[in-house]
Amino acid sequence: LRTFGTGFEAEQAKLVLEEEGIPALLQGHMVGFFGSAHQGPVIGGVQLSVPSPEVERAEALLSDVGV
């Protein structure tokens, strides 16, 4: 869906989607090791993914909240 430069930004977007009932998955270099506690830049970014049927709705939600 989107790639974020920091784990913090990615986690914010994930929370927005999950609050609206959209399952979201974060993937990226070292995300699993540091988790949301790592708030600095992540080499290669953090990829936010959602199920295919939810992509359009997720994009709209993230745009609405400015994420």
Side-chain angles (χ1 to χ4, degrees), residues 5-65:
T6 68
F8 180 74
E9 294 169 320
E11 189 67 32
Q12 283 183 313
K14 181 177 186 267
L15 290 173
V16 167
L17 297 177
E18 289 178 339
E19 285 176 2
E20 295 296 325
I22 299 174
L25 174 67
L26 296 179
Q27 297 175 306
H29 181 68
M30 296 221 168
V31 171
F33 182 75
F34 289 111
S36 60
H38 178 70
Q39 303 205 7
V42 176
I43 296 171
V46 179
Q47 179 68 41
L48 174 67
S49 302
V50 298
S52 296
E54 298 286 6
V55 169
E56 199 170 304
R57 186 171 145 223
E59 280 286 2
L61 281 169
L62 294 180
S63 292
D64 286 349
V65 297

